[in-house]
């Protein structure tokens, strides 16, 4: 007899038990009831129209089929209604007289994003050394993003293949690192530097580079910049501070290693490795058996950076470092794909972020 | 850059005693980390990472100089049989200061090819051997000694050769077969018919050496790094030559490389020298740099002496003159990165090894600054929402124009926030709203089977302005799916708009934001973070007296129209009561039932009064009457 019924009605009938079970409250049940057996626009109403229009010889069979369907739906609805009403009563009963043998209800849990959590942690680690947080805009000028940092005018990073520029404002770009916060902060504090006794801060934030999205690249990512300006600051202070901070972060047995490197805004420059926090430097997949992982780039401030901000490099000196947050988060968590940090799946966030 | 171990040991014999791992560690300690090791042609080849400031290290000889300086061991001598120079066979005119020196030679080729070991060397470096001695020898010299050279087919050069700026619009077909249209800022080698090479970047197709070539004209010059970099970038033509000239080649190597090339062509291909000559002269030497003891000690953090510094710098090829408390240092011709005293201090530390740098915490010179109120507010907000069950998201700052238009304020023109070179249309506008990104993330979670989705993000949104986009930290929140039903005390029900208004109220927002429907059963709102109440700046706020007298609580059951906005009614009631005694007014129950008059609902309002004295029943009665009157004025009635 089913051949007399339209396909979508049969489909609706197949879906009925699932839809019924999904009704979590009486309101939802009422809506389902309306859709199946309501007076107008429901599946049942459509069937009645169908029956009216059917040729005489089909009427008997069709009528039987329709009645079968309707009866099934009505019985189901009724049973679920009884169930839900009982559940509501039960709920009220449980709410008014608490049974300590039952498990307690647990409120929903949210989570901070793992990248934010890591940045918060870095701020926490540097706070006791007198560092505060400075921030700057993401839309920057070429002057702050490049020129103030001793980056030569023809540096390849300035090319539109590497850096995003704004259509209506050709002089504006999306900052490619958090280093322009150095420039802004130095320009701001330069007149008061003596009174402040130098400056030390972290600059966490989002940065942009024109990279295609893949498991290890993202056009937006996060950096944490650190900077210190004072009197007679040398490489020993950079090493001392980073050793303190990285031990606070990874544990007291952590060792650090400086290797010479080059960034236009520092001199001397270095890369900093940390003894592998995952294998206690015994050698593993993450440190490729070497016991060391590269964690950040740093160096003493290039005199041109201080001069740009109007600070006398004969009197003041300092250091800066820059750290990739995603890179570090991926290394520590062994997350195989960078894109997971931007997909925002609650299962990932709940497991990775949590709450401090 | 690839470094072949045997070829390195040929330049610095002491390196032969190191195994590959030791060599990698040594190079890394000098600032040249090894990204990988390959085995090719029966030897280990190291993939060495060379920073942009060290053009001088981009060869086996350059790397050997570093190893020799570190190990205090001698380099193998570099002494090609000198080539006697004579009168120019082809006139060479240098017409631009960007090429101060051009050494050349003219040779007739005999028979013979590239030797097998030279071919193997090139293959080990992942470079191809062409089997043409003039081409392969030039290539081999580049990798071994770092100085790019070029060989032209001399019989295809017409008349005199000049090094000059291109005439805008001139054409040159380069070796890769591409026709390049030149600009006046491009430096070219030209003959009387036109350009035959892009100086320091790539040779021309018309004068290239082929199997038919009988005579070659060699070029071993020095080109201005900036000029070469600009041309390479302009034509997207990054070659081994442009990398080295662009980072600064060693001008003193120009004639040496020419002599080495002549020598190879004689031995490999039985070539005979017809003449060798040089146009121009060595460019002016970089001026000397003065390093003071104070600067050295400040950077190093320990009492290094100038004598130690002088010894280290001498090992690196510098000419050092010692003064009483300074050194005057003339960097070697191959180094272009020793311009200021800080550079010299770095070199001393680098050669000594960064592992010797002591570890000292810098002294505090001033009091630490506080975290800014804005920053603290955002931290607290994120924690609060996480405790309320929301997940913090991080989404891209740029979205598609359509996604932006769906929720951004209509007066926030997208044109002022559009990127000129986005990754694609879907990432082209700096977003004026967080809601589109949250909607995408929420719907993705629901599609993946999440029963309930609670997301928030705290990030800047962008507002177009005459001087460029302004940035405003914004809180966006999305909530959808089924709420509750996960334990026996809370019934399951769909998330409703009211839930989001409840969150907004809980966050202390003075004006409730507009809750938007983001999708089926999914709602969201966004507000500038600046609209949220700020934590007070005082450590302990000023004392405000409070009453210790008991408060009085009264309920008022009202019949109100369905559709009556709650806020309007509550505001009217509040306005009718003395503010100093009304502690609280709220709706504690809503009742809707068919037993009520058609179109009406019942609200149970709870009012709490308190004053600096014990309240009298009659005055409370009076206030309740005023409150009722205010409600009645809006059509409400007391429910009997």
């Amino acid at each position: 007899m089913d051949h007399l019924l339209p396909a979508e009605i049969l489909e609706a009938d197949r879906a009925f038990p699932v839809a019924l079970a999904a009704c979590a409250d009486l309101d939802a049940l009422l809506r389902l009831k309306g859709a199946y057996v309501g007076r107008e626009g429901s599946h049942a109403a459509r069937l009645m129209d169908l029956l009216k229009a059917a040729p005489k010889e089909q009427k008997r069979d069709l009528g039987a089929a329709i009645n079968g369907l309707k009866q099934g739906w009505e019985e189901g609805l009724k049973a679920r209604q009884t169930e839900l009403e009982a559940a509501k009563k039960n709920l009220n009963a449980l709410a008014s007289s608490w049974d300590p043998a039952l498990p307690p209800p647990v409120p929903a849990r949210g989570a901070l994003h793992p990248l934010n959590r890591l940045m918060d942690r870095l701020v926490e680690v540097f706070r006791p050394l007198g560092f505060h947080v400075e921030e700057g805009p993401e839309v920057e000028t070429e002057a702050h993003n490049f020129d103030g940092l001793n980056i030569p005018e023809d540096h390849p990073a300035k090319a539109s293949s590497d850096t995003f520029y704004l259509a209506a404002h050709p002089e504006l770009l999306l900052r490619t690192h958090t280093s322009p916060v150095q420039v802004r902060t130095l320009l701001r504090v330069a007149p008061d530097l003596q009174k402040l006794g130098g400056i030390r801060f972290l600059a966490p934030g989002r940065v942009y580079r024109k990279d295609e999205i893949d498991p290890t690249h993202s056009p937006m990512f996060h950096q944490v910049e650190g900077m210190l300006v004072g009197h007679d600051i040398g490489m020993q202070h950079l090493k001392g501070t980073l050793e303190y901070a990285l031990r606070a972060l990874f544990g007291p047995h952590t060792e650090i290693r400086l290797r010479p490197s080059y960034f236009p805004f520092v001199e001397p420059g270095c890369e900093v490795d940390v003894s592998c926090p995952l294998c206690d430097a015994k050698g593993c997949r993450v440190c490729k058996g070497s016991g060391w992982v590269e964690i950040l780039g740093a160096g003493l401030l290039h005199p041109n950076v201080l001069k740009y901000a109007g600070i006398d490099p004969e009197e003041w000196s300092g250091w800066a470092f820059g750290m990739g947050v995603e890179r570090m988060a991926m290394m520590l968590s062994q997350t195989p794909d960078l894109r997971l940090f931007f997909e925002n799946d609650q299962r990932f966030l709940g497991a990775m972020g949590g709450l401090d | 850059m690839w470094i072949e171990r045997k070829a390195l040991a040929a330049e610095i014999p002491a390196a032969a005693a190191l195994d590959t791992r030791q060599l990698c560690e040594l190079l890394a300690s000098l600032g040249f980390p090894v990204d990988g090791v390959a085995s090719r042609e029966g030897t280990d080849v190291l993939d060495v990472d060379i920073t942009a400031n060290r053009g001088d290290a981009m060869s086996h000889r350059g790397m050997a100089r570093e190893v020799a300086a570190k190990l205090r061991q001698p380099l193998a001598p570099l002494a090609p049989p000198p080539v006697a120079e004579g009168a120019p066979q082809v006139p060479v005119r240098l017409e631009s200061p960007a090429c101060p020196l051009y050494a050349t030679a003219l040779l007739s080729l005999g028979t013979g090819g590239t030797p097998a070991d030279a071919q193997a060397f090139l293959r080990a470096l992942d470079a191809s051997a062409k089997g043409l001695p003039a081409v392969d020898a030039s290539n081999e010299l580049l990798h071994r000694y770092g100085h790019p050279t070029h060989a032209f087919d001399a019989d295809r050069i017409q008349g005199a050769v000049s090094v000059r700026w291109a005439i805008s619009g001139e054409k040159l077909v380069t070796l890769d077969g591409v026709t390049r249209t030149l600009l006046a800022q491009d430096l070219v080698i030209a003959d009387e018919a036109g350009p035959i090479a892009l100086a320091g970047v790539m040779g021309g197709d018309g004068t290239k050496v082929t199997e038919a070539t009988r005579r070659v004209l060699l070029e071993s010059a020095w080109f201005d790094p900036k000029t070469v970099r600009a041309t390479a970038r302009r034509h997207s033509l990054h070659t081994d030559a442009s990398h080295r000239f662009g980072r600064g080649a060693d001008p003193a190597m120009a004639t040496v490389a020419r002599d080495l090339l002549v020598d190879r062509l004689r031995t490999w291909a039985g070539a005979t020298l017809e003449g060798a000559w040089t146009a121009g002269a060595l460019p002016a030497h970089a001026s000397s740099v003065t390093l003071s003891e104070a600067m050295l000690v400040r950077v190093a953090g320990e009492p290094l002496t100038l004598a130690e510094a002088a010894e280290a710098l001498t090992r690196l090829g510098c000419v050092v003159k010692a003064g009483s408390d300074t050194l005057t240092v003339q960097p070697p011709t191959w180094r272009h990165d020793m311009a200021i005293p800080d550079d010299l201090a770095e070199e001393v530390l680098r050669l000594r090894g960064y592992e010797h740098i002591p570890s000292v915490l810098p002294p505090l010179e001033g009091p630490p600054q506080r975290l800014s109120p804005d920053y603290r507010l955002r931290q607290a907000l994120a924690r609060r929402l996480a405790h309320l069950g929301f997940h913090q998201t991080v989404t891209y700052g740029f979205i598609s124009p359509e996604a932006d238009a769906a929720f951004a304020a209509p007066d926030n023109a997208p044109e002022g926030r559009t990127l000129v070179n986005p990754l694609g249309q879907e990432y082209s506008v700096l977003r004026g709203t967080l809601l589109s990104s949250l909607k995408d993330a929420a719907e993705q979670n629901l599609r993946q089977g999440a029963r309930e989705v609670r997301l928030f993000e705290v990030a800047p949104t962008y507002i177009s302005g005459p001087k460029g986009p302004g940035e405003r930290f914004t809180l966006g929140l999305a909530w959808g799916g089924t709420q509750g039903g996960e334990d026996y005390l809370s019934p399951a029900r769909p998330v409703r708009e009211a839930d989001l208004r409840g969150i907004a109220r809980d966050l202390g927002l003075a004006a409730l934001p507009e809750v938007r429907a983001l999708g089926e059963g999914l709602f969201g709102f966004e507000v500038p973070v600046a609209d949220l109440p700020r934590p007070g700046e005082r450590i302990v706020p000023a004392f405000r007296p409070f009453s210790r007298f008991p408060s009085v609580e009264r309920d008022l059951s009202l019949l109100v129209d369905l559709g009556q906005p709650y806020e309007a009614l509550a505001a009217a009631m509040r306005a009718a009561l003395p503010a100093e005694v009304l502690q609280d007014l709220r709706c504690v129950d809503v009742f809707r039932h068919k037993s009520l008059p058609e179109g009406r609902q019942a609200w149970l309002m709870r009012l709490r009064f308190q004053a600096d004295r014990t309240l009298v029943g009659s005055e409370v009665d009076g206030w309740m009457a005023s409150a009722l009157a205010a409600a009645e004025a809006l059509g409400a009635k007391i429910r009997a």
Side-chain angles (χ1 to χ4, degrees):
Chain A
M1 285 184 295
D2 282 358
H3 65 278
L4 298 174
L5 298 169
E8 58 270 30
I9 295 283
L10 293 172
E11 181 52 43
D13 185 48
R14 268 192 294 279
F16 181 72
V18 179
L20 193 63
C23 287
D25 57 21
L26 290 166
D27 279 1
L29 190 71
L30 222 65
R31 282 196 295 275
L32 191 73
K33 193 171 177 179
Y36 276 81
V37 297
R39 205 166 292 163
E40 270 170 44
S42 70
H43 296 314
R46 261 201 72 202
L47 288 170
M48 293 320 288
D49 294 344
L50 204 68
L51 185 62
K52 261 183 229 157
K56 218 172 189 169
E57 63 278 11
Q58 279 186 9
K59 277 204 171 144
R60 201 169 64 99
D61 282 355
L62 189 61
I66 289 173
N67 277 336
L69 279 180
K70 272 177 68 181
Q71 205 178 337
W73 295 342
E74 273 160 358
E75 278 168 11
L77 287 163
K78 185 137 200 195
R80 184 75 183 141
Q81 186 171 351
T82 315
E83 229 173 84
L84 286 172
E85 276 167 355
K88 199 173 171 186
K89 269 190 202 139
N90 178 39
L91 202 68
N92 293 339
L94 280 168
S96 55
S97 68
W98 167 242
D99 176 357
L102 291 175
V106 181
R109 269 182 79 91
L112 296 174
H113 195 282
L115 297 174
N116 289 83
R117 217 172 155 214
L118 181 51
M119 288 190 285
D120 290 354
R121 188 60 175 278
L122 286 163
V123 171
E124 184 191 309
V125 158
F126 277 90
R127 276 298 278 160
L129 294 174
F131 286 71
H132 66 281
V133 171
E134 292 283 350
E135 295 178 291
E138 294 176 8
V139 177
E140 265 295 4
T141 60
E142 279 205 35
H144 286 135
N145 196 72
F146 295 120
D147 306 345
L149 293 162
N150 196 42
I151 295 173
E153 204 180 320
D154 68 341
H155 196 276
K158 284 188 169 185
S160 63
S161 57
D162 288 31
T163 299
F164 294 112
Y165 287 85
L166 272 92
H169 306 276
E171 73 289 1
L172 295 180
L173 47 80
L174 292 184
R175 66 177 178 189
T176 59
H177 45 189
T178 40
S179 307
V181 182
Q182 286 185 20
V183 182
R184 286 180 173 273
T185 306
L186 289 183
L187 281 166
R188 194 189 73 228
V189 301
D192 296 326
L193 207 51
Q194 200 65 52
K195 215 161 54 191
L196 291 169
I199 184 146
R200 42 183 82 187
F201 64 85
L202 293 193
R206 311 198 302 177
V207 303
Y208 297 83
R209 287 184 201 171
K210 206 176 164 191
D211 285 324
E212 293 291 338
I213 301 167
D214 70 22
T216 53
H217 293 89
S218 166
M220 183 189 92
F221 57 99
H222 296 75
Q223 282 188 339
V224 173
E225 189 92 359
M227 185 184 220
L228 180 147
V229 175
H231 288 100
D232 290 319
I233 298 300
M235 289 297 275
Q236 75 279 21
H237 298 125
L238 173 63
K239 196 172 188 176
T241 312
L242 291 177
E243 198 169 76
Y244 170 95
L246 292 170
R247 281 181 181 166
L249 199 61
F250 296 124
H253 304 298
T254 305
E255 294 296 329
I256 70 165
R257 179 172 85 171
L258 273 53
R259 285 183 288 105
S261 190
Y262 168 71
F263 308 97
F265 30 95
V266 289
E267 189 69 43
C270 61
E271 299 272 6
V272 178
D273 297 337
V274 63
S275 55
C276 182
L278 294 170
C279 65
D280 285 333
K282 287 186 192 76
C284 67
R285 210 166 49 84
V286 173
C287 60
K288 297 192 192 103
S290 72
W292 296 99
V293 283
E294 189 182 314
I295 203 117
L296 56 89
L300 297 190
L301 295 180
H302 195 286
N304 289 352
V305 173
L306 291 167
K307 278 187 213 155
Y308 185 89
I311 296 170
D312 179 8
E314 295 292 321
E315 185 189 351
W316 297 95
S317 44
W319 54 247
F321 71 79
M323 184 187 275
V325 179
E326 278 80 357
R327 215 182 114 101
M328 189 155 158
M330 277 178 92
M331 186 265 285
L332 290 174
S333 64
Q334 296 278 285
T335 301
D337 192 325
L338 178 55
R339 291 170 293 194
L340 285 163
F341 288 98
F342 306 107
E343 265 168 26
N344 301 299
D345 189 304
Q346 289 187 144
R347 291 166 294 189
F348 174 80
L349 296 174
M352 300 282 297
L355 264 166
D356 280 323
Chain B
M1 191 192 64
W2 292 107
I3 290 288
E4 195 250 307
R5 278 206 53 192
K6 279 189 307 195
L8 182 70
E11 302 300 321
I12 164 77
L18 303 172
D19 66 28
T20 299
R21 195 186 167 107
Q22 289 169 321
L23 185 59
C24 290
E25 274 171 19
L26 181 79
L27 292 178
S29 76
L30 286 164
F32 305 100
V34 178
D35 290 341
V37 178
S39 191
R40 289 195 211 115
E41 303 291 324
T43 176
D44 279 348
V45 208
L46 280 49
D47 184 8
V48 185
D49 195 6
I50 295 170
T51 50
N53 59 328
R54 293 302 303 274
D56 65 288
M58 294 186 70
S59 68
H60 288 73
R61 184 77 181 179
M63 204 51 68
R65 272 196 298 252
E66 292 286 313
V67 174
K70 177 78 184 176
L71 299 179
R72 300 167 196 266
Q73 295 292 328
L75 283 168
L78 175 59
V83 171
E85 294 207 333
Q89 310 274 312
V90 179
V92 175
R93 288 195 304 270
L94 305 184
E95 295 175 5
S96 159
C99 177
L101 177 69
Y102 197 97
T104 183
L106 185 68
L107 295 100
S108 304
L109 296 179
T111 52
T114 309
D117 58 344
Q119 295 202 24
F121 173 67
L122 286 172
R123 280 196 303 269
L125 304 180
D126 219 11
S128 60
K130 300 268 186 286
L132 298 167
V135 176
D136 292 342
S138 167
N139 207 3
E140 184 244 1
L141 286 176
L142 175 136
H143 290 290
R144 214 181 276 278
Y145 301 111
H147 199 86
T149 54
H150 185 67
F152 297 97
D153 185 329
D155 296 321
R156 298 168 80 171
I157 291 177
Q158 301 177 31
V161 167
S162 60
V163 185
R164 60 162 171 87
W165 297 111
I167 299 157
S168 189
E170 260 185 318
K171 302 259 198 270
L172 168 68
V173 180
T174 41
L175 277 177
D176 53 5
V178 178
T179 304
R180 314 270 171 186
T181 306
L182 307 178
L183 292 179
Q185 294 84 2
D186 291 323
L187 188 70
V188 296
I189 321 299
D191 66 7
E192 283 166 15
I196 56 171
L198 260 182
V201 180
M202 192 178 264
D205 194 63
T207 51
K208 74 175 175 195
V209 170
T210 65
E211 266 138 23
T213 300
R214 299 314 331 143
R215 294 196 315 148
V216 289
L217 182 72
L218 305 183
E219 165 193 299
S220 183
W222 191 86
F223 301 110
D224 169 53
K226 251 192 154 143
T227 305
V228 172
R229 285 202 299 268
T231 292
R233 203 174 52 242
R234 213 155 27 232
H235 297 283
S236 295
L237 199 50
H238 300 280
T239 60
D240 284 336
S242 74
H243 270 135
R244 286 162 178 81
F245 282 126
R247 286 163 166 76
D250 177 3
M253 268 300 281
T255 47
V256 180
R258 191 264 323 264
D259 294 357
L260 285 161
L261 189 50
V262 168
D263 184 51
R264 274 171 176 58
L265 291 183
R266 279 170 161 162
T267 40
W268 294 7
T272 47
L273 182 69
E274 293 186 10
W277 64 101
T278 298
L282 279 177
H285 214 38
S287 49
S288 58
V289 184
T290 304
L291 175 66
S292 71
E293 188 165 76
M295 140 78 79
L296 178 69
V297 171
R298 195 260 295 167
V299 171
E302 58 177 327
L304 277 183
T305 63
L306 283 182
E308 287 171 278
E311 192 267 343
L313 291 166
T314 307
R315 262 150 66 203
L316 287 168
C318 297
V319 177
V320 182
K321 265 190 270 172
S324 61
D325 54 359
T326 56
L327 298 178
T328 306
V329 180
Q330 178 65 58
T333 51
W334 56 87
R335 292 295 295 263
H336 305 290
D337 62 329
M338 294 164 128
I340 56 172
D342 309 66
D343 296 331
L344 300 179
E346 174 180 52
E347 287 304 295
V348 175
L349 260 59
R350 190 172 69 87
L351 210 57
R352 199 163 171 270
Y354 277 15
E355 67 275 17
H356 296 295
I357 295 169
S359 174
V360 179
L361 278 178
L364 273 176
E365 294 183 44
Q369 295 187 34
R370 299 199 63 204
L371 296 173
S372 75
D374 285 348
Y375 178 79
R376 282 185 291 136
L377 176 61
R378 274 181 273 126
Q379 300 302 95
L381 176 63
R383 282 191 164 63
R384 178 159 192 179
L385 286 167
H387 280 292
L388 285 171
F390 286 80
H391 295 84
Q392 186 176 32
T393 67
V394 171
T395 52
Y396 289 158
F398 30 54
I399 58 180
S400 73
E402 297 76 33
D404 184 69
F407 298 105
D411 58 349
N412 186 4
E415 292 76 22
R417 301 179 275 125
T418 301
L419 298 178
V420 70
N421 57 338
L423 272 189
Q425 179 76 356
E426 70 267 44
Y427 307 114
S428 60
V429 176
L430 292 178
R431 61 185 173 184
T433 173
L434 300 181
L435 290 179
S436 282
S437 314
L438 285 165
K439 169 184 156 78
D440 285 353
E443 286 181 339
Q444 177 66 12
N445 272 287
L446 291 170
R447 266 198 301 278
Q448 297 275 319
R451 199 170 168 277
E452 183 185 7
V453 58
R454 296 192 201 192
L455 302 177
F456 76 98
E457 180 153 350
V458 180
T461 52
Y462 309 84
I463 302 124
S464 296
K467 288 182 179 161
E471 289 169 48
R472 184 164 75 176
F473 269 104
T474 303
L475 162 68
L477 188 132
W479 193 354
T482 303
Q483 206 227 10
E486 295 279 60
D487 62 60
Y488 51 85
L489 282 180
S490 59
R493 61 166 179 79
V495 170
R496 301 204 176 97
E497 252 181 87
D499 294 322
L500 285 99
R501 296 170 71 89
I503 294 288
R505 173 54 48 80
D506 186 60
L507 294 175
L509 283 164
L512 288 184
E514 184 194 356
V515 174
R516 316 277 299 256
L518 303 183
E520 184 66 33
L522 178 66
F523 304 94
F525 69 79
E526 61 186 332
V527 285
V529 173
D531 285 2
L532 291 160
R534 278 166 168 253
E537 273 307 282
R538 290 182 68 148
I539 298 171
V540 179
F543 175 71
R544 263 201 300 212
F546 58 94
S547 170
R548 293 180 185 278
F549 290 90
S551 62
V552 173
E553 213 169 75
R554 292 279 183 89
D555 285 356
L556 185 59
S557 185
L558 295 175
L559 273 179
V560 297
D561 287 343
L562 288 166
Q564 166 69 44
Y566 170 75
E567 286 302 333
L569 187 85
M573 290 173 73
R574 274 193 207 102
L577 297 167
E580 65 280 9
V581 295
L582 181 68
Q583 290 286 311
D584 191 38
L585 178 151
R586 65 176 68 205
C587 174
V588 294
D589 193 29
V590 175
F591 182 65
R592 293 177 185 178
H593 196 259
K594 56 182 179 232
S595 62
L596 295 177
E598 179 88 19
R600 301 283 256 180
Q601 58 182 331
W603 285 356
L604 185 63
M605 306 296 293
R606 183 161 293 163
L607 294 82
R608 203 168 72 234
F609 302 97
Q610 195 177 30
D612 281 334
R613 57 195 162 76
T614 304
L615 294 174
V616 187
S618 60
E619 59 183 342
V620 178
D621 291 344
W623 293 330
M624 290 303 286
S626 310
L628 177 60
E632 282 172 344
L634 288 175
K637 258 195 186 154
I638 192 151
R639 187 175 164 220

